């Protein structure tokens, strides 16, 4: 039984429902356009997504958390909604009176209020009467074409909790202290660099600035917001910023600099420019450089570093990806990330992925962040993002940034600090690779690299 709902449409619905999978229960073209066939396959199943199709190409339907039955009664559902697809985008119409969200009628298919009925009266037709308990424009919903070519009902499958964690983490205060001390005492293997630079790259709203704020919060002892962070459809970061994390308010800088960039956007000519990225990686970009997506950096720009040293270059790249949006990543954005990854690969810079908002993506993790490595769904997302970005699974690190909290949480701290430790390991790989290259060079080239590696700042 093959779903008519495309993989992309399924992913879009799953993202709306905050991470689940869809399992096809009922397909009218196979089981019959009758209420009896629908109820035989779908009664007592929940939550469900019901989908109608017509000859005009519309894909529309509804969601309910309530199990179907043939009681003849209305059931209350404050989470119910109707929807339609406009291309790949889902338009949602929430229930306006939850008391009458769904009616359990024997002689019809899915029956949403008195507004939308699929397989109405056991016929291949849709009943549509907006304005009772749901508001929607009929022309937008189904194009006023009420003859159905197909009806499908999917059960929404929940996140599975694995018996054994797929990564081992010690969730104890002693571990948090150990990680903090390891970060404070870290020293790069080359004397010319005291603070390795890690470049944060990611889509708008994925949490790049929030990651810096969160790491800084751990060392400040309370939640801080030094970097501008928030939710917006366009990048809140418009300048190239380098942030040095301090050990406490008056403490000395820690051995890491996090570099924040303009967010990536799907459309061309918007968000971070790929040509600017090359300048950042090579160390040419001055602090507080104002990004201009339509005009990449020129060597004549104020503050442009014509001869950057090793300390000015990027030593590790971290892609910041929203876990709840991996499955619906737009093609244009995926192509941009692929182009960036190829460019970074050519320069021999190690790359990892910070998988943010894991609590928003998975209810199990929202309940307790310590479930992050017991969540079957988060493991699936890690595998998917690794595949999409072309990085090994060991390079994908789930984190939870501080966003609405006022106080620190030990378990969130452990994830954040573990991510920083992973960055240090990748930085060490970068410098080791430079040293290996130096070993195989001719004398003149070797002296030049030695100068960069070991000349103190």
């Amino acid at each position: 039984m093959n779903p008519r709902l495309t993989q992309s449409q399924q992913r879009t619905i799953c993202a709306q429902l905050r991470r689940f999978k869809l399992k096809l229960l009922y397909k009218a073209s196979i089981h019959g356009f009758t209420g009896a066939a629908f109820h035989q396959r779908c009664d007592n199943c929940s939550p469900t997504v019901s989908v109608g199709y017509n000859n005009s190409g519309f894909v529309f339907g509804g969601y309910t958390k309530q199990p179907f039955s043939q009681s003849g009664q209305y059931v209350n559902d404050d989470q119910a909604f109707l929807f339609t697809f406009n291309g790949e985008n889902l338009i949602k119409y929430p229930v306006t009176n939850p008391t009458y969200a769904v009616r359990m009628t024997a002689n019809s298919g899915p029956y949403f209020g008195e507004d939308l009925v699929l397989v109405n009266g056991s016929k291949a037709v849709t009943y549509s009467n907006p304005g009772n308990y749901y508001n929607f424009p009929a022309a937008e919903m189904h194009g006023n074409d009420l003859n159905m070519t197909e009806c499908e009902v999917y059960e929404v499958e929940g996140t599975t909790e694995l018996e054994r964690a797929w990564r081992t983490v010690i969730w104890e205060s002693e571990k948090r202290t150990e990680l903090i001390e390891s970060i404070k005492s870290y020293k790069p293997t080359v004397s010319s660099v005291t603070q390795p630079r890690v470049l944060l790259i990611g889509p708008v709203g994925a949490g790049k600035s929030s990651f810096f704020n969160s790491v800084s919060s751990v060392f400040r002892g309370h939640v801080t917001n030094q970097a501008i962070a928030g939710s917006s459809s366009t990048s809140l970061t418009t300048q190239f910023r380098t942030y040095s994390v301090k050990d406490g308010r008056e403490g000395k800088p820690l051995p890491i600099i996090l570099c924040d960039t303009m967010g990536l956007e799907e459309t061309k000519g918007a968000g971070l420019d790929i040509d600017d990225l090359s300048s950042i990686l090579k160390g040419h970009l001055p602090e507080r450089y104002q990004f201009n997506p339509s005009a990449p950096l020129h060597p004549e720009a104020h503050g442009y570093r014509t001869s950057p040293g090793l300390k000015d270059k990027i030593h590790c790249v971290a892609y910041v990806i929203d876990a709840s949006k991996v499955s619906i990543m737009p093609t244009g954005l995926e192509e941009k990330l692929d182009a960036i990854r190829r460019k970074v690969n050519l320069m021999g810079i190690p790359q990892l992925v910070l998988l943010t908002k894991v609590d928003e993506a998975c209810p199990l993790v929202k309940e307790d962040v310590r479930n992050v490595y017991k969540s079957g769904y988060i493991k699936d997302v890690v595998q998917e993002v690794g595949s999409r970005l072309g990085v090994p699974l060991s390079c994908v690190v789930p984190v939870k940034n501080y966003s609405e909290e006022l106080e620190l949480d030990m378990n969130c701290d452990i994830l954040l600090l573990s991510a920083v430790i992973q960055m240090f390991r990748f930085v060490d790989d970068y410098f080791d690779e430079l040293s290996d290259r130096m070993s195989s060079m001719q004398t003149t080239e070797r002296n030049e690299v030695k100068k960069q590696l070991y000349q103190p700042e």
Side-chain angles (χ1 to χ4, degrees):
M1 192 162 63
N2 295 320
R4 184 160 166 183
L5 204 59
T6 67
Q7 286 295 320
S8 175
Q9 290 166 337
Q10 290 184 51
R11 285 196 295 264
T12 300
I13 291 173
C14 285
Q16 179 65 51
L17 298 175
R18 290 298 180 195
R19 267 347 303 170
F20 298 90
K21 293 181 180 179
L22 300 182
K23 172 185 167 187
L24 184 57
L25 299 175
Y26 164 74
K27 190 176 180 74
S29 60
I30 293 176
H31 303 117
F33 283 91
T34 68
F38 156 71
H39 284 290
Q40 182 184 0
R41 305 283 305 183
C42 304
D43 278 4
N44 302 314
C45 296
S46 65
T48 54
V49 173
S50 303
V51 189
Y53 306 82
N54 62 26
N55 266 325
S56 301
F58 286 81
V59 180
F60 56 96
Y63 164 82
T64 177
K65 67 180 181 182
Q66 297 288 6
F68 288 115
S69 71
Q70 301 173 59
S71 67
Q73 304 296 311
Y74 288 101
V75 292
N76 187 306
D77 186 355
D78 60 353
Q79 294 175 30
F81 63 86
L82 302 181
F83 65 86
T84 189
F85 276 94
N86 180 4
E88 295 300 313
N89 298 318
L90 183 133
I91 303 171
K92 182 178 169 185
Y93 314 101
V95 65
T96 57
N97 190 336
T99 304
Y100 302 98
V102 185
R103 190 175 181 184
M104 302 303 174
T105 304
N107 193 38
S108 291
Y111 202 116
F112 292 91
E114 293 295 337
D115 303 72
L116 186 76
V117 184
L118 305 179
V119 191
N120 185 41
S122 291
K123 295 178 182 176
V125 294
T126 300
Y127 172 81
S128 176
N129 186 28
N132 295 295
Y133 311 122
Y134 299 86
N135 293 319
F136 60 88
E140 181 179 68
M141 168 76 87
H142 45 58
N144 290 312
D145 180 356
L146 302 180
N147 292 313
M148 302 186 71
T149 57
E150 183 64 277
C151 177
E152 295 178 327
V153 178
Y154 296 81
E155 185 173 20
V156 180
E157 295 192 319
T159 303
T160 54
E161 182 175 356
L162 304 175
E163 286 187 20
R164 293 181 60 186
W166 50 279
R167 276 185 190 161
T168 303
V169 176
I170 300 169
W171 305 102
E172 294 174 2
S173 58
E174 291 82 3
K175 183 63 178 178
R176 178 183 180 275
T177 304
E178 177 191 318
L179 291 168
I180 287 174
E181 292 307 316
S182 294
I183 290 169
K184 287 181 183 179
S185 61
Y186 172 77
K187 284 186 175 61
T189 54
V190 296
S191 56
S192 64
V193 179
T194 56
Q195 288 180 292
R197 291 179 164 232
V198 178
L199 178 64
L200 305 177
I201 299 176
V204 171
K208 299 186 306 301
S209 302
S210 294
F211 176 74
F212 163 75
N213 287 336
S214 299
V215 172
S216 179
S217 297
V218 177
F219 287 92
R220 283 288 189 95
H222 60 88
V223 176
T224 65
N225 285 287
Q226 181 181 341
I228 298 173
S231 56
S232 174
S233 58
T234 55
S235 183
L236 293 174
T237 303
T238 59
Q239 296 180 327
F240 176 65
R241 294 299 310 272
T242 57
Y243 293 106
S244 181
V245 183
K246 289 185 177 179
D247 181 16
R249 188 173 179 182
E250 303 296 331
K252 65 177 184 178
L254 294 170
I256 188 170
I257 290 177
L258 295 173
C259 304
D260 199 6
T261 59
M262 194 173 189
L264 293 174
E265 296 185 39
E266 179 187 3
T267 53
K268 291 182 179 178
L272 179 66
D273 185 272
I274 303 294
D275 291 327
D276 276 345
L277 177 67
S278 293
S279 299
I280 296 171
L281 297 172
K282 293 174 183 176
H284 293 299
L285 219 63
E287 167 72 352
R288 293 186 181 272
Y289 167 73
Q290 186 71 40
F291 289 110
N292 181 355
S294 59
L297 176 71
H298 290 289
E300 298 80 28
H302 178 70
Y304 182 90
R305 294 193 193 96
T306 52
S307 303
L310 185 61
K311 66 182 178 61
D312 302 312
K313 297 179 180 181
I314 297 299
H315 311 114
C316 174
V317 168
Y319 300 104
V320 183
I321 305 293
D322 182 342
S324 65
K325 294 183 179 176
V326 171
S327 62
I328 54 169
M329 187 184 294
T331 304
L333 192 57
E334 194 170 345
E335 289 172 350
K336 275 191 177 180
L337 283 166
D338 184 59
I340 290 169
R341 183 180 60 81
R342 291 174 187 275
K343 190 177 285 283
V344 176
N345 273 345
L346 284 172
M347 297 180 69
I349 301 172
Q351 303 161 77
L352 60 83
V353 177
L354 297 176
L355 193 65
T356 61
K357 305 187 183 183
V358 287
D359 57 321
E360 293 181 25
C362 176
L364 202 62
V365 181
K366 191 172 187 67
E367 182 184 302
D368 188 341
V369 75
R370 290 175 297 180
N371 289 330
V372 66
Y373 291 120
K374 282 191 171 183
S375 165
Y377 173 68
I378 294 298
K379 186 176 183 182
D380 288 345
V381 174
V382 166
Q383 290 172 333
E384 184 173 0
V385 79
S387 172
R388 282 172 176 252
L389 269 62
V391 298
L393 301 190
S394 58
C395 297
V396 184
V397 185
V399 294
K400 183 199 175 311
N401 292 335
Y402 288 110
S403 55
E404 58 188 16
E405 298 84 358
L406 296 177
E407 301 298 331
L408 300 180
D409 175 84
M410 181 190 73
N411 299 317
C412 291
D413 289 356
I414 287 173
L415 286 179
L416 291 162
L417 294 166
S418 298
V420 175
I421 292 292
Q422 200 65 14
M423 290 173 176
F424 284 156
R425 290 170 179 166
F426 279 50
V427 166
D428 287 342
D429 290 344
Y430 175 80
F431 291 134
D432 289 346
E433 178 65 22
L434 271 184
S435 298
D436 291 345
R437 272 170 45 203
M438 187 183 68
S439 303
S440 60
M441 285 177 179
Q442 298 298 323
T443 307
T444 24
E445 293 176 299
R446 189 182 300 136
N447 289 339
E448 184 57 37
V449 176
K450 261 188 183 177
K451 189 175 167 186
Q452 285 199 46
L453 282 171
Y454 300 111
Q455 183 179 340
E457 293 183 73

